[in-house]
mmCIF file of all heavy atoms in Angstrom:
data_model
loop_
_atom_site.group_PDB
_atom_site.id
_atom_site.type_symbol
_atom_site.label_atom_id
_atom_site.label_comp_id
_atom_site.label_asym_id
_atom_site.label_seq_id
_atom_site.Cartn_x
_atom_site.Cartn_y
_atom_site.Cartn_z
ATOM 1 N N VAL V 110 -44.330 22.456 1.347
ATOM 2 C CA VAL V 110 -43.166 23.262 1.726
ATOM 3 C C VAL V 110 -43.257 23.791 3.154
ATOM 4 O O VAL V 110 -42.387 23.633 3.961
ATOM 5 C CB VAL V 110 -42.849 24.341 0.710
ATOM 6 C CG1 VAL V 110 -41.720 25.157 1.160
ATOM 7 C CG2 VAL V 110 -42.480 23.691 -0.638
ATOM 8 N N LEU V 111 -44.397 24.348 3.386
ATOM 9 C CA LEU V 111 -44.588 24.926 4.742
ATOM 10 C C LEU V 111 -44.571 23.860 5.850
ATOM 11 O O LEU V 111 -43.922 24.109 6.883
ATOM 12 C CB LEU V 111 -45.987 25.661 4.770
ATOM 13 C CG LEU V 111 -46.226 26.517 6.034
ATOM 14 C CD1 LEU V 111 -45.349 27.698 6.003
ATOM 15 C CD2 LEU V 111 -47.681 26.987 6.033
ATOM 16 N N VAL V 114 -40.902 23.190 6.673
ATOM 17 C CA VAL V 114 -40.340 24.167 7.386
ATOM 18 C C VAL V 114 -40.729 24.192 8.885
ATOM 19 O O VAL V 114 -40.011 24.359 9.821
ATOM 20 C CB VAL V 114 -40.584 25.587 6.752
ATOM 21 C CG1 VAL V 114 -39.982 26.701 7.660
ATOM 22 C CG2 VAL V 114 -40.048 25.591 5.366
ATOM 23 N N ARG V 135 -44.106 32.268 11.440
ATOM 24 C CA ARG V 135 -42.649 32.236 11.580
ATOM 25 C C ARG V 135 -42.066 31.351 10.427
ATOM 26 O O ARG V 135 -41.001 31.693 9.822
ATOM 27 C CB ARG V 135 -42.176 31.632 12.865
ATOM 28 C CG ARG V 135 -42.075 32.745 13.981
ATOM 29 C CD ARG V 135 -41.789 32.167 15.264
ATOM 30 N NE ARG V 135 -40.551 31.474 15.359
ATOM 31 C CZ ARG V 135 -40.178 30.698 16.375
ATOM 32 N NH1 ARG V 135 -41.025 30.534 17.428
ATOM 33 N NH2 ARG V 135 -38.984 30.092 16.423
ATOM 34 N N ALA V 136 -42.691 30.252 10.045
ATOM 35 C CA ALA V 136 -42.274 29.437 9.012
ATOM 36 C C ALA V 136 -42.340 30.172 7.646
ATOM 37 O O ALA V 136 -41.409 30.213 6.881
ATOM 38 C CB ALA V 136 -43.147 28.206 8.883
ATOM 39 N N LEU V 137 -43.406 30.974 7.456
ATOM 40 C CA LEU V 137 -43.553 31.731 6.248
ATOM 41 C C LEU V 137 -42.401 32.847 6.233
ATOM 42 O O LEU V 137 -41.897 33.095 5.060
ATOM 43 C CB LEU V 137 -44.868 32.476 6.204
ATOM 44 C CG LEU V 137 -46.027 31.643 5.555
ATOM 45 C CD1 LEU V 137 -47.327 32.407 5.771
ATOM 46 C CD2 LEU V 137 -45.728 31.495 4.069
ATOM 47 N N GLU V 138 -42.122 33.366 7.316
ATOM 48 C CA GLU V 138 -41.071 34.374 7.351
ATOM 49 C C GLU V 138 -39.778 33.779 6.962
ATOM 50 O O GLU V 138 -38.985 34.399 6.162
ATOM 51 C CB GLU V 138 -40.979 35.027 8.798
ATOM 52 C CG GLU V 138 -39.808 35.946 9.058
ATOM 53 C CD GLU V 138 -39.749 37.090 7.985
ATOM 54 O OE1 GLU V 138 -40.758 37.450 7.495
ATOM 55 O OE2 GLU V 138 -38.586 37.429 7.720
ATOM 56 N N ALA V 139 -39.503 32.529 7.415
ATOM 57 C CA ALA V 139 -38.245 31.858 7.024
ATOM 58 C C ALA V 139 -38.219 31.615 5.584
ATOM 59 O O ALA V 139 -37.178 31.764 4.852
ATOM 60 C CB ALA V 139 -38.119 30.529 7.843
ATOM 61 N N LEU V 140 -39.374 31.218 4.947
ATOM 62 C CA LEU V 140 -39.456 30.954 3.550
ATOM 63 C C LEU V 140 -39.226 32.256 2.770
ATOM 64 O O LEU V 140 -38.617 32.267 1.678
ATOM 65 C CB LEU V 140 -40.775 30.416 3.179
ATOM 66 C CG LEU V 140 -40.914 28.878 3.426
ATOM 67 C CD1 LEU V 140 -42.383 28.452 3.237
ATOM 68 C CD2 LEU V 140 -39.998 28.147 2.480
ATOM 69 N N ASN V 141 -39.748 33.319 3.333
ATOM 70 C CA ASN V 141 -39.464 34.628 2.693
ATOM 71 C C ASN V 141 -38.056 34.957 2.696
ATOM 72 O O ASN V 141 -37.533 35.536 1.699
ATOM 73 C CB ASN V 141 -40.288 35.676 3.528
ATOM 74 C CG ASN V 141 -40.522 36.923 2.730
ATOM 75 O OD1 ASN V 141 -40.583 36.801 1.488
ATOM 76 N ND2 ASN V 141 -40.666 38.030 3.381
ATOM 77 N N GLN V 142 -37.331 34.629 3.787
ATOM 78 C CA GLN V 142 -35.945 34.953 3.803
ATOM 79 C C GLN V 142 -35.116 34.265 2.714
ATOM 80 O O GLN V 142 -34.154 34.822 2.160
ATOM 81 C CB GLN V 142 -35.377 34.462 5.155
ATOM 82 C CG GLN V 142 -35.462 35.563 6.289
ATOM 83 C CD GLN V 142 -34.922 34.965 7.598
ATOM 84 O OE1 GLN V 142 -35.608 34.117 8.147
ATOM 85 N NE2 GLN V 142 -33.793 35.324 7.981
ATOM 86 N N VAL V 143 -35.555 33.059 2.331
ATOM 87 C CA VAL V 143 -34.838 32.328 1.273
ATOM 88 C C VAL V 143 -35.530 32.546 -0.078
ATOM 89 O O VAL V 143 -35.161 31.892 -1.018
ATOM 90 C CB VAL V 143 -34.678 30.805 1.520
ATOM 91 C CG1 VAL V 143 -33.880 30.618 2.862
ATOM 92 C CG2 VAL V 143 -36.065 30.177 1.710
ATOM 93 N N GLY V 144 -36.478 33.395 -0.083
ATOM 94 C CA GLY V 144 -37.100 33.782 -1.350
ATOM 95 C C GLY V 144 -38.074 32.837 -2.020
ATOM 96 O O GLY V 144 -38.288 32.899 -3.167
ATOM 97 N N ILE V 145 -38.675 31.963 -1.214
ATOM 98 C CA ILE V 145 -39.664 31.097 -1.818
ATOM 99 C C ILE V 145 -40.936 31.056 -1.111
ATOM 100 O O ILE V 145 -41.690 30.066 -1.066
ATOM 101 C CB ILE V 145 -39.124 29.592 -2.027
ATOM 102 C CG1 ILE V 145 -38.623 29.043 -0.720
ATOM 103 C CG2 ILE V 145 -38.134 29.516 -3.116
ATOM 104 C CD1 ILE V 145 -38.353 27.530 -0.791
ATOM 105 N N ALA V 146 -41.345 32.174 -0.495
ATOM 106 C CA ALA V 146 -42.591 32.216 0.255
ATOM 107 C C ALA V 146 -43.769 31.948 -0.657
ATOM 108 O O ALA V 146 -44.730 31.386 -0.177
ATOM 109 C CB ALA V 146 -42.775 33.598 0.848
ATOM 110 N N ASP V 147 -43.656 32.272 -1.937
ATOM 111 C CA ASP V 147 -44.862 31.950 -2.844
ATOM 112 C C ASP V 147 -44.984 30.466 -3.021
ATOM 113 O O ASP V 147 -46.038 30.038 -3.596
ATOM 114 C CB ASP V 147 -44.618 32.665 -4.128
ATOM 115 C CG ASP V 147 -43.217 32.351 -4.827
ATOM 116 O OD1 ASP V 147 -42.301 32.184 -4.005
ATOM 117 O OD2 ASP V 147 -43.120 32.289 -6.008
ATOM 118 N N LEU V 148 -44.049 29.663 -2.658
ATOM 119 C CA LEU V 148 -44.218 28.197 -2.806
ATOM 120 C C LEU V 148 -44.653 27.513 -1.536
ATOM 121 O O LEU V 148 -44.680 26.275 -1.546
ATOM 122 C CB LEU V 148 -42.832 27.575 -3.297
ATOM 123 C CG LEU V 148 -42.232 28.076 -4.543
ATOM 124 C CD1 LEU V 148 -40.892 27.324 -4.831
ATOM 125 C CD2 LEU V 148 -43.130 27.853 -5.697
ATOM 126 N N ALA V 149 -45.018 28.236 -0.582
ATOM 127 C CA ALA V 149 -45.264 27.701 0.740
ATOM 128 C C ALA V 149 -46.230 26.484 0.708
ATOM 129 O O ALA V 149 -46.065 25.500 1.399
ATOM 130 C CB ALA V 149 -45.838 28.794 1.674
ATOM 131 N N ARG V 163 -33.551 25.256 -0.621
ATOM 132 C CA ARG V 163 -34.027 26.426 0.091
ATOM 133 C C ARG V 163 -35.043 26.047 1.120
ATOM 134 O O ARG V 163 -35.019 26.700 2.158
ATOM 135 C CB ARG V 163 -34.721 27.364 -0.935
ATOM 136 C CG ARG V 163 -33.637 27.997 -1.892
ATOM 137 C CD ARG V 163 -34.238 29.260 -2.421
ATOM 138 N NE ARG V 163 -33.965 29.407 -3.812
ATOM 139 C CZ ARG V 163 -34.202 30.491 -4.578
ATOM 140 N NH1 ARG V 163 -34.872 31.601 -3.958
ATOM 141 N NH2 ARG V 163 -33.926 30.530 -5.782
ATOM 142 N N THR V 164 -35.838 24.988 0.849
ATOM 143 C CA THR V 164 -36.743 24.542 1.829
ATOM 144 C C THR V 164 -36.005 24.072 3.126
ATOM 145 O O THR V 164 -36.432 24.412 4.209
ATOM 146 C CB THR V 164 -37.695 23.434 1.217
ATOM 147 O OG1 THR V 164 -38.176 23.904 0.055
ATOM 148 C CG2 THR V 164 -38.709 22.978 2.231
ATOM 149 N N ALA V 167 -34.634 26.952 5.021
ATOM 150 C CA ALA V 167 -35.728 27.606 5.818
ATOM 151 C C ALA V 167 -36.022 26.825 7.003
ATOM 152 O O ALA V 167 -36.269 27.453 8.110
ATOM 153 C CB ALA V 167 -36.950 27.864 4.897
#
Side-chain angles (χ1 to χ4, degrees):
Chain V
V110 172
L111 190 68
V114 178
R135 272 172 65 190
L137 269 174
E138 172 53 32
L140 280 171
N141 200 28
Q142 274 177 285
V143 298
I145 52 168
D147 52 327
L148 302 181
R163 291 199 222 188
T164 305

